[in-house]
């Protein structure tokens, strides 16, 4: 086979040598050429990092290359943060660093030894210039000409990110992987620093575009930029110089990261098969240092596919299709993690640097990709995590009931106004649709009672409606009469008498989503009642479902006053029933939510139009409710922080919504999303709404509740520790297991949690079972 690799970076060189070797092993000598525009010892950048796992993979495929790399690399375990005058270090992270130049030289030498033809200082203009090749590898890097020439087939999706960075080097040697954050009069800068040989460290400086411009760096020469960075990090550099690799754009200038992904990775140009590899087809931000790893693993996978295909007559099309199918999965996973890590560095100046103390800032930084959890950190460096938990516990009223070991953050108490919730788990409100005339009955006593006994800090009763016509379904509970108040009071009294959990009530009005079926009745949830339907109201005459939805009547001023007063009445009843906490339901497309979203509010009066106008009525209701709710008790507001529809509420606007409720006196924002439009396209995944809680907490400066696919203690510990939220609401897991919190405590080996006295004899047994399971895994 004749193969031409356009571009002699890690991808092109490594694939060339692996295929050459494979051919030899098979007794079929492939004719392989690498065409590279640069000279052999000429490259941009300084050092690259990859993981121990990548090295294992390389060792399996070509021991000689792996040995040569291993002989030259710097290995380190520690990550160090220098921030606000503090230095914090944690271990067990396991990286390998090597100079990019050294890596390329090793690959070049190995290519030559195996008989790959290396052609330097030659620009390849097109894959069509190599008609004799059976296979052209487009390994021509991030600005791939070949990808651009065939953009109609490859369909690249390229996103340019807002931060600016410059890739510098220094002869100061940094033993750990070091992050330094420095504040200037215009904002924060960060440096990512790692040693890659005995005399040099990579030193990447990054900042947001507006900070970069404010310092005039957009018009600075490379030398001026270096001088600026030397001044900025002078106290750390202590006289050492920073260096540019000035002949190359990437090495000398401040650039924006480009995230590349492609729909199609290969094509046939009429003469040759052409396939993209490495940065040409995908990029991963340096925040998780995986670009070179991905390039090398692409080369390995394509070689593996040729190996497995054997000597079929025309193996290439099938091989290329499988290469894409397999690699695309790994690449997406890594690009997602890299995206989270990259975003963290993009927003840290606005969101975390000023807000978080160094300990929590370190935790947030270490878990930035959301691939590393609390328990992963414990495995990496138990001592550091113990210290962190100790620090965290001291900031709460956590008692030392748990012997000498610090209390996991999930089990620390949290106080708002006069209410102390014993831990960070909340049973999220969940409609049960089984009331008659809005009266909660035996079912609710058992349902809420069992969950209050199950260890959660607080249970939130389902959306409870402020009037008969405010109900979602005929089975929804209400708080518009004395009988309902008394029925709720019985449940609250049980929870207070038999448990140390708090109990909250969520009050709401279903608005455009009222008068629908119970989920199991008729033609299902969100569909209008076939019988007994009642007229419904909304900010605008827009049905929730375009097809088959019930048309609401646009609310008049009189309607709005009436509904506000209904909220006030329900609040008074809730206080009389003895609830500890009130939640105002402003999410999921129900009445107050439908005022906030521009998708559902098309009013032309002072309650429609701008966000401030759309918030006017929900804030009026909030203010009226706050006035009659006891001063010493908290109110949280549940919002949909993302409508998941173009033109709807975005997470950025949700910060404004939270600010408005905070100014009105809300204590917490419960950060849900969606269900505002039937057209929504949410992206689900573990903890998928937590980024909204994080952003609101740290940008609007108000406490938050995270909710959505939080299903393990490890999730709760990670969220609370990183300061992404103050409480975690857990819904569906509590449907299966009322004692979810007690179970999770036992699962992670936390025995300091109290069980109800009646159930006490189950505690030690459950703990022992989990203890055995953990021991078997170790
Ligand atoms: C600041 C920064 C830090 C990074 N840090 C890391 C890190 O720590 N770890 C990591 O793994 N990765 C890191 N990367 C990414 C890494 O450099 C790339 O992901 C990796 O080099 C991709 O390899 P490649 O072979 O696909 O492309 P490249 O290394 O870009 O190689 C492409 C080659 O093609 C040549 N070429 C391009 N067009 C033509 C043409 N028309 N004719 C002939 N030759 C051509 C180029 O000269 C180049 O040599 C970093 C990147 C940046 C910008
Ligand atoms: C059966 C059921 C009923 C729900 N009812 C309500 C409700 O009354 N009020 C509300 O704000 N959210 C309601 N939700 C949403 C949950 O509170 C929670 O936000 C959502 O299920 C995501 O959390 P999870 O992934 O832990 O289930 C309900 C969810 C379920 C599964």
């Amino acid at each position: 086979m004749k193969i031409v690799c356009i571009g002699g970076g890690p991808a092109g060189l490594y694939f060339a040598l692996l295929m050459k070797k494979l051919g030899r092993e098979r007794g079929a000598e492939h004719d392989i050429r690498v065409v590279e525009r640069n000279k052999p010892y000429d490259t941009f950048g300084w050092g690259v990092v990859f993981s121990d796992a990548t090295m294992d993979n390389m060792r399996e495929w070509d021991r000689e290359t792996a040995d040569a790399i291993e002989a030259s690399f710097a290995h380190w375990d520690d990550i160090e943060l220098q921030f606000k005058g503090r230095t914090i270090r944690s271990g067990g992270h396991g990286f390998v660093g090597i100079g990019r130049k050294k890596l390329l030289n090793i690959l070049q030498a190995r290519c030559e030894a195996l008989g790959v033809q290396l052609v330097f200082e030659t620009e390849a203009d097109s894959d069509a210039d190599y008609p004799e090749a059976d296979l052209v590898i487009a390994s021509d890097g991030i600005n791939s000409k070949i990808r651009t020439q065939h953009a109609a087939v490859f369909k690249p999706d390229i996103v340019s990110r807002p931060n600016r960075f410059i890739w510098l080097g220094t002869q100061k040697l940094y033993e750990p992987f070091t992050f330094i954050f420095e504040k200037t009069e215009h904002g924060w800068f960060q440096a990512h620093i790692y040693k890659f040989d005995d005399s040099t460290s990579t030193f990447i400086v990054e900042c947001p575009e507006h900070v970069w411009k404010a310092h005039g760096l957009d018009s600075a020469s490379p030398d001026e930029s270096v001088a600026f960075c030397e001044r900025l990090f002078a106290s750390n550099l202590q006289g050492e110089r920073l260096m540019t690799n000035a002949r190359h754009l990437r090495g000398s200038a401040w650039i924006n990261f480009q995230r590349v992904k492609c729909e199609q990775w290969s094509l046939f140009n009429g003469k040759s098969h052409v396939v993209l590899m490495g940065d040409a087809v995908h990029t991963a931000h340096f925040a998780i240092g995986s670009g070179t790893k991905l390039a090398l693993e692409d080369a390995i996978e394509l070689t593996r596919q040729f190996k497995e295909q054997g000597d079929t007559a025309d193996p290439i099309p099938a091989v290329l299709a499988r290469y894409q199918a397999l690699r695309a999965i790994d690449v997406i996973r890594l690009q997602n993690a890299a995206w989270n890590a990259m975003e963290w560095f993009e927003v840290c100046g606005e969101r975390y640097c000023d807000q978080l103390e160094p300990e929590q800032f370190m935790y947030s930084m270490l878990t930035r990709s959301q691939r590393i959890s609390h328990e992963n950190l414990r495995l990496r460096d138990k001592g550091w995590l113990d210290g962190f938990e100790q620090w965290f516990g001291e900031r709460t009223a956590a008692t030392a009931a748990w012997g000498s070991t610090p209390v996991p953050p999930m089990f620390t108490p949290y106080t708002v106004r006069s209410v102390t919730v014993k831990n960070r788990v909340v049973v999220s409100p969940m409609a049960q649709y089984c009331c008659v005339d809005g009266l909660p009955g035996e079912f609710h006593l058992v349902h809420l009672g069992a969950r209050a006994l199950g260890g959660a800090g607080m249970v939130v009763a389902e959306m409870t409606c402020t009037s008969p016509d405010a109900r979602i379904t005929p089975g929804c509970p209400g708080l518009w009469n004395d009988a309902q108040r008394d029925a709720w009071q019985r449940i609250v009294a049980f929870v207070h008498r038999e448990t140390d959990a708090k109990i909250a009530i969520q009050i709401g009005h279903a608005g455009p989503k009222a008068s629908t079926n119970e989920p199991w009745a008729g033609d299902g949830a969100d569909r209008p009642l076939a019988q007994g339907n009642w007229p419904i109201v909304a900010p605008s005459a827009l049905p929730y479902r375009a097809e088959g939805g019930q048309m609401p009547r646009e609310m008049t001023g009189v309607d709005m006053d009436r509904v506000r007063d209904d909220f006030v009445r329900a609040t008074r009843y809730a206080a009389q029933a003895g609830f500890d906490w009130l939640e105002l339901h402003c999410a999921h497309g129900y009445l107050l939510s439908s005022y906030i979203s521009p998708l559902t509010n098309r009013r032309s009066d002072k309650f429609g139009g701008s966000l401030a106008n759309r918030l006017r009525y929900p804030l009026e209701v909030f203010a009226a409710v706050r006035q009659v709710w006891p001063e010493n008790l908290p109110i949280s507001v549940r919002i949909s922080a993302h409508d998941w529809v173009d033109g709807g509420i975005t997470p950025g606007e949700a910060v404004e919504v939270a600010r408005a409720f905070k100014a009105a006196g809300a204590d917490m924002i419960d950060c849900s999303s969606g269900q505002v439009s039937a057209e929504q396209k949410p992206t689900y995944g573990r903890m998928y709404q937590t980024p909204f809680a994080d952003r609101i907490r740290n940008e609007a400066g108000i406490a938050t509740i995270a909710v959505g696919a939080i299903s393990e203690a490890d999730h709760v510990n990670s969220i609370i520790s990183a300061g992404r939220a103050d409480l975690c609401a857990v819904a569906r897991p509590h449907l299966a297991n009322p004692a979810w919190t007690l179970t999770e405590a036992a699962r992670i080996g936390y025995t300091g949690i109290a069980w109800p006295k009646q159930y006490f004899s189950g505690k030690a047994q459950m703990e022992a079972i989990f203890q055995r399971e953990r021991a078997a895994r170790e």
Side-chain angles (χ1 to χ4, degrees):
M1 191 159 46
K2 280 193 180 356
I3 302 174
V4 172
C5 300
I6 300 181
L13 291 169
Y14 197 48
F15 178 71
L17 75 87
L18 291 182
M19 276 304 281
K20 192 76 188 169
K21 200 176 148 190
L22 180 67
R24 286 253 166 100
E25 282 164 13
R26 295 247 167 111
E29 189 81 13
H30 297 311
D31 173 353
I32 307 181
R33 200 169 4 142
V34 178
V35 181
E36 166 58 47
R37 62 156 73 110
N38 288 334
K39 297 185 189 129
Y41 298 104
D42 193 24
T43 182
F44 68 84
W46 303 92
V48 296
V49 287
F50 37 88
S51 66
D52 291 350
T54 312
M55 280 312 304
D56 293 343
N57 208 359
M58 290 182 80
R59 201 168 297 111
E60 193 191 320
W61 283 86
D62 186 51
R63 175 160 276 286
E64 284 81 348
T65 309
D67 286 349
I69 291 175
E70 230 156 34
S72 320
F73 63 35
H75 191 279
W76 68 100
D77 268 340
D78 288 1
I79 290 182
E80 185 172 287
L81 167 69
Q82 299 188 16
F83 179 57
K84 296 183 179 170
R86 294 274 307 283
T87 298
I88 302 179
R89 197 190 268 219
S90 93
H93 301 285
F95 294 99
V96 174
I98 185 167
R100 177 177 157 91
K101 200 169 185 171
K102 183 78 199 169
L103 173 69
L104 292 184
N105 292 346
I106 289 170
L107 297 176
Q108 288 157 359
R110 183 72 180 133
C111 277
E112 279 170 346
L114 286 164
V116 172
Q117 193 194 343
L118 300 181
V119 184
F120 290 103
E121 296 180 76
T122 304
E123 179 79 22
D125 287 320
S126 162
D127 47 286
D129 295 346
Y130 305 93
E132 72 288 1
D134 302 296
L135 180 63
V136 174
I137 305 290
S139 48
D140 51 346
I142 190 164
N143 298 316
S144 171
K145 256 190 201 169
I146 311 298
R147 185 190 65 222
T148 310
Q149 277 164 9
H150 297 290
V153 178
F154 293 136
K155 298 202 179 72
D157 170 7
I158 303 175
V159 182
S160 187
R161 298 303 302 178
N163 267 16
R164 288 279 171 173
F165 67 93
I166 184 165
W167 201 357
L168 303 173
T170 174
Q171 269 157 1
K172 180 173 159 93
L173 294 183
Y174 290 80
E175 286 313 320
F177 197 124
T178 303
F179 293 97
I180 310 177
F181 292 77
E182 287 290 349
K183 190 172 187 175
T184 69
E185 65 276 29
H186 300 300
W188 287 88
F189 281 79
Q190 58 258 15
H192 311 235
I193 314 164
Y194 47 95
K195 185 176 101 167
F196 62 87
D197 64 24
D198 292 341
S199 58
T200 337
S201 301
T202 295
F203 200 111
I204 303 169
V205 180
E206 183 190 11
C207 67
E209 177 100 5
H210 67 93
V211 177
W212 177 72
K213 279 198 172 140
H215 281 283
L217 291 166
D218 50 339
S219 54
S221 68
D223 287 345
E224 286 164 347
S225 290
V226 170
F228 174 86
C229 293
E230 282 176 346
R231 279 197 305 279
L232 185 59
F233 296 100
S235 68
N236 181 277
L237 285 167
Q238 293 181 328
E240 285 288 351
R241 308 300 307 267
L242 292 174
M243 309 177 282
T244 56
N245 195 341
R247 277 166 305 135
H248 295 284
L249 176 70
R250 271 194 183 189
S252 62
W254 295 86
I255 53 176
N256 298 87
F257 172 71
Q258 314 269 330
R259 199 276 282 114
V260 175
K261 56 182 181 183
C262 294
E263 216 174 290
Q264 176 67 30
W265 294 24
S266 62
L267 56 78
F268 184 64
N269 68 10
K271 302 274 187 208
S272 322
H273 292 278
V274 182
V275 62
L276 298 170
M277 187 178 280
D279 272 12
V281 64
H282 47 62
T283 56
H285 190 259
F286 58 84
I288 64 164
S290 290
T292 305
K293 162 196 155 80
L294 283 180
L296 296 171
E297 287 175 353
D298 282 354
I300 289 176
E301 190 55 55
L302 190 54
T303 311
R304 188 200 316 276
Q305 290 308 325
F306 275 111
K307 186 172 180 184
E308 286 178 3
Q309 188 66 25
D311 300 323
T312 336
D314 185 14
I316 300 179
V319 160
L320 297 186
R322 273 214 313 282
Y323 158 73
Q324 173 174 353
L326 286 166
R327 287 301 294 148
I329 298 169
D330 270 0
V331 166
I332 282 197
R333 203 173 293 139
L334 214 120
Q335 280 189 324
N336 284 346
W339 186 272
N340 292 339
M342 170 192 77
E343 275 194 329
W344 191 93
F345 283 109
E346 287 170 0
V347 302
C348 65
E350 312 276 310
R351 200 181 293 171
Y352 307 119
C353 289
D354 291 314
Q355 291 81 343
L356 302 183
E357 292 184 61
E359 284 80 359
Q360 193 162 43
F361 187 82
M362 174 77 163
Y363 189 104
S364 177
M365 186 182 79
L366 290 177
T367 54
R368 64 189 179 273
S369 72
Q370 285 173 41
R371 283 196 310 177
I372 296 175
S373 72
H374 200 71
E375 294 310 315
N376 295 145
L377 288 175
R378 200 184 305 282
L379 286 177
R380 288 173 185 222
D381 189 344
K382 183 170 179 333
W384 178 79
L385 193 70
D386 280 353
F388 173 81
E389 289 186 337
Q390 184 73 38
W391 172 89
F392 192 92
E394 282 162 9
R395 261 142 197 82
T396 70
T399 56
W402 169 232
S404 57
T405 315
V407 176
M410 168 175 173
F411 297 102
T412 57
Y414 186 77
T415 301
V416 199
R417 298 198 187 225
S418 68
V419 176
T420 297
V421 181
K422 67 182 169 185
N423 61 45
R424 306 303 181 106
V425 181
V426 170
V427 178
S428 202
M430 281 183 284
Q432 302 297 299
Y433 311 106
C434 57
C435 295
V436 177
D437 296 332
L439 272 175
E442 303 289 296
F443 181 89
H444 291 82
L445 176 66
V446 173
H447 170 68
L448 295 168
R451 279 143 193 87
L453 286 164
M458 180 161 79
V459 294
V460 185
E462 68 197 82
M463 170 162 148
T464 299
C465 307
T466 51
S467 61
D469 65 335
R471 289 174 300 167
I472 314 168
T473 74
C476 289
L479 249 184
W480 63 79
N481 62 34
D482 292 0
Q484 290 159 346
R485 180 211 43 216
D486 295 346
W488 280 118
Q489 190 179 28
R490 177 172 172 243
I491 295 165
V492 171
F494 174 88
V495 170
H496 286 162
R497 190 176 62 244
E498 303 295 342
T499 83
D500 55 0
K502 300 297 176 197
I503 180 161
I505 188 157
Q506 184 189 54
I507 55 169
H509 185 301
K513 295 171 85 177
S515 190
T516 58
N517 295 312
E518 287 106 12
W520 47 80
D523 46 3
D526 293 334
R527 311 271 170 183
L529 289 168
Q531 281 172 349
N533 193 278
W534 61 82
I536 62 175
V537 292
S540 302
L542 292 168
Y544 175 64
R545 284 185 186 281
E547 274 175 38
Q550 184 174 349
M551 181 63 84
R553 178 170 62 73
E554 179 176 311
M555 286 176 89
T556 63
V558 173
D559 293 325
M560 286 162 63
D561 289 350
R562 195 264 296 174
V563 169
R564 180 201 59 219
D565 294 346
D566 289 348
F567 270 98
V568 168
R569 180 181 57 206
T571 304
R572 285 208 171 95
Y573 276 135
Q576 290 164 15
F579 282 102
D580 302 299
W581 185 301
L582 190 85
E583 177 157 288
L584 188 65
H585 201 337
C586 296
H588 302 167
Y590 297 121
L591 186 73
L592 298 179
S593 156
S594 66
Y595 268 88
I596 299 174
S597 173
L599 301 172
T600 42
N601 181 345
R602 302 279 165 77
R603 296 178 75 97
S604 51
D605 61 6
K606 65 179 183 177
F607 298 103
S610 65
L611 179 60
N613 279 0
R614 284 181 276 125
L615 275 166
R616 196 184 298 274
Y617 183 60
L619 289 171
E620 181 184 320
V621 172
F622 178 88
V625 160
R626 185 63 266 182
Q627 242 188 350
V628 296
W629 182 245
E631 179 61 30
N632 63 328
L633 299 181
I635 305 186
S636 55
V637 177
R638 179 167 267 209
I639 63 167
S640 282
H642 195 333
D643 284 347
W644 303 108
V645 176
D646 283 346
I649 290 284
T650 60
E653 283 166 322
V655 175
E656 296 310 315
V657 173
R659 283 202 177 105
F661 279 109
K662 178 188 174 190
D667 296 291
M668 274 191 142
I669 304 295
D670 186 351
C671 304
S672 185
S673 75
Q675 299 174 52
V676 171
S677 160
E679 309 300 314
Q680 68 173 3
K681 293 209 169 34
T683 311
Y684 295 116
R686 46 192 183 113
M687 303 182 275
Y688 72 104
Q689 295 173 151
T690 299
F692 313 140
D694 181 6
R695 183 163 182 184
I696 287 172
R697 181 179 192 271
N698 292 305
E699 287 187 14
I702 181 166
T704 56
I705 305 177
V707 64
I710 298 170
S711 56
E712 298 169 19
D714 205 18
H715 296 162
V716 178
N717 274 324
S718 305
I719 292 169
I720 300 298
S721 299
R724 300 199 162 99
D726 301 276
L727 296 175
C728 289
V730 176
R732 287 164 300 171
H734 276 114
L735 291 179
N737 183 2
W740 183 84
T741 306
L742 298 181
T743 311
E744 286 302 300
R747 194 191 305 282
I748 63 167
Y750 174 63
T751 59
I753 191 166
W755 279 45
K757 58 181 182 291
Q758 298 88 336
Y759 297 170
F760 193 70
S761 39
K763 181 170 189 270
Q765 189 202 33
M766 181 184 261
E767 287 166 355
I769 291 169
F770 281 122
Q771 168 62 35
R772 276 200 297 279
E773 278 185 11
R774 282 198 304 279
R777 276 201 304 272
E778 275 158 16

